[in-house]
Amino acid sequence: MQATAKANTNIALIKYWGKRDDTLFLPMNSSLSITLDGFYTITTVEFCKELAKDAFFLNNRPASEREFNKVSQFLNHIRNLAGIHLPAVVTSENKVPTAAGFASSASGFAALAAAAAKAANLELSKKELSILARQGSGSACRSIYGGYVEWQKGIESDGSDSFANQLLPEEDWNISILSVLVASEEKKVSSREGMKRTVDTSPFYDGWLHTVQKDFETAKEAIKSKDFEKLGKVVEANSLKMHATMLGAEPPILYWQSGTMEIMHHIQKLRLSGILAYFTIDAGANVKVLCLPSDEQSVYESLLTLPAVQSVITCHPGSGVTYLS
Ligand code: 2P0
């Protein structure tokens, strides 16, 4: 009872920010992402009666107690679904540079869900796999699919209608995503805590809820018609709006560093010079820049001239979850 799966990470274009159910990981709003090539997690799961309890190795080392508990809890979902009571050994290799500001939870739980389900002989559809991955980390439900992906928030209290769908395969529209590293220190507020505090205390969260569905629809239209300018505008505005909700939280959450601001202004200046480039920022200080492949080299070079920029890594749309033998 062993299987290995690989999942790429994803970057949200319309952000998931806030849960309506913390246990089932049900979001307050629908979100939309691009699954990236290059940054991934490979996970092997083996259910094994010789083990006394679960074991989790991350990048060739025993995982921390916090990471172990998350993984072991997640395996309980699989065991319940499959009707098995065996412990498992989980081995993960993370090729997601957390220092580059990418969260590894999306690729991590997508790979774990796929490998564990297969090892337990569960025959799950992609929809079922997406629902399963969501219960490890919300954004993981989007990494089941490649390319441009939506996560419909759903309305059911059991989460049965809250899963991801592919909008456009990765090969249908190539764009460039540059990940710009400005600050490598660990952030002080996790995404999980940040979204909870925002929902509970920010007076601006209502404004987010009133407008995010429209942003989501606009981004979907832009992807359907491959209208890069339309997509970039709504992506940048949606990211700033998410951060505005956090600034209103109590106590306020400010993820930006001075370098974050420097890049935002730089990208807006690039647009004045005729280059279509747009930024998006997750729950951290680093910035992702979207541009057309024809502008990739000049945007890359211009970013490297900024004193605050430590490194830039370029990605493109990548594939969904795959199984390795
Ligand atoms: C996203 N983020 O849509 C948003 C934008 C960060 C900012 O999903 O609590 O690790 O595990 O469901 O998925 C990061 O939060 O949170 C995230 P949990 P997750 O990508």
Side-chain angles (χ1 to χ4, degrees):
M1 298 183 83
Q2 179 186 320
T4 301
K6 174 180 172 184
N8 283 315
T9 192
N10 70 75
I11 169 80
L13 302 179
I14 301 299
K15 308 296 187 188
Y16 147 50
W17 199 245
K19 294 183 181 72
R20 62 189 163 90
D21 183 317
D22 293 336
T23 312
L24 289 172
F25 292 76
L26 298 178
M28 294 287 259
N29 63 276
S30 298
S31 58
L32 200 155
S33 59
I34 304 182
T35 302
L36 302 176
D37 63 354
F39 297 158
Y40 58 85
T41 303
I42 294 179
T43 295
T44 300
V45 177
E46 183 177 10
F47 289 98
C48 187
K49 62 177 185 306
E50 282 79 28
L51 291 169
K53 60 179 215 137
D54 291 331
F56 177 32
F57 298 92
L58 181 58
N59 295 334
N60 295 318
R61 288 184 188 172
S64 68
E65 194 183 336
R66 203 174 130 260
E67 286 160 340
F68 170 83
N69 288 337
K70 277 193 197 173
V71 164
S72 191
Q73 259 176 24
F74 185 77
L75 289 171
N76 289 338
H77 291 301
I78 311 271
R79 284 187 277 255
N80 285 340
L81 279 174
I84 57 173
H85 303 282
L86 298 173
V89 58
V90 177
T91 315
S92 273
E93 193 193 333
N94 235 346
K95 295 284 182 195
V96 181
T98 35
F102 281 114
S104 55
S105 66
S107 57
F109 278 99
L112 178 63
K118 191 154 190 240
N121 290 322
L122 286 170
E123 302 256 334
L124 300 184
S125 64
K126 281 207 163 168
K127 171 185 152 181
E128 290 166 325
L129 203 51
S130 178
I131 288 176
L132 188 61
R134 191 201 72 220
Q135 293 169 75
S137 183
S139 52
C141 79
R142 300 186 307 233
S143 272
I144 299 299
Y145 295 92
Y148 299 77
V149 179
E150 65 171 348
W151 172 14
Q152 289 282 357
K153 68 184 174 81
I155 51 167
E156 300 295 340
S157 56
D158 65 358
S160 55
D161 58 352
S162 185
F163 52 87
N165 268 310
Q166 188 180 62
L167 294 171
L168 202 65
E170 56 274 25
E171 59 273 14
D172 279 20
W173 192 23
N174 191 25
I175 67 170
S176 304
I177 305 107
L178 287 74
S179 175
V180 190
L181 175 67
V182 293
S184 47
E185 56 186 272
E186 187 126 333
K187 61 189 181 191
K188 291 177 188 75
V189 184
S190 69
S191 302
R192 203 165 284 188
E193 185 190 333
M195 62 175 90
K196 180 158 177 47
R197 192 189 299 171
T198 305
V199 173
D200 290 346
T201 65
S202 176
F204 306 147
Y205 194 68
D206 269 354
W208 169 261
L209 287 181
H210 277 111
T211 55
V212 66
Q213 182 64 22
K214 185 155 181 285
D215 293 349
F216 175 75
E217 300 298 341
T218 303
K220 264 176 87 162
E221 284 165 20
I223 288 167
K224 251 185 205 152
S225 55
K226 299 184 189 166
D227 183 337
F228 184 74
E229 188 172 0
K230 183 172 176 170
L231 181 65
K233 273 185 188 162
V234 71
V235 165
E236 190 171 297
N238 182 264
S239 167
L240 288 170
K241 201 191 294 178
M242 176 185 77
H243 283 269
T245 68
M246 301 179 207
L247 295 176
E250 269 183 49
I253 306 162
L254 176 61
Y255 285 116
W256 301 345
Q257 302 285 330
S258 55
T260 317
M261 294 290 288
E262 197 180 326
I263 296 164
M264 289 194 268
H265 285 295
H266 178 75
I267 294 302
Q268 291 186 336
K269 244 189 252 160
L270 277 185
R271 283 208 297 276
L272 292 178
S273 75
I275 293 180
L276 287 183
Y278 299 87
F279 63 79
T280 182
I281 304 163
D282 282 332
N286 297 306
V287 184
K288 315 290 182 310
V289 176
L290 308 181
C291 67
L292 293 166
S294 51
D295 292 325
E296 182 183 302
Q297 191 60 25
S298 57
V299 173
Y300 176 82
E301 283 167 12
S302 78
L303 284 165
L304 285 180
T305 65
L306 302 178
V309 171
Q310 292 177 8
S311 67
V312 181
I313 304 174
T314 305
C315 292
H316 299 101
S319 66
V321 84
T322 50
Y323 296 94
L324 311 178
S325 54

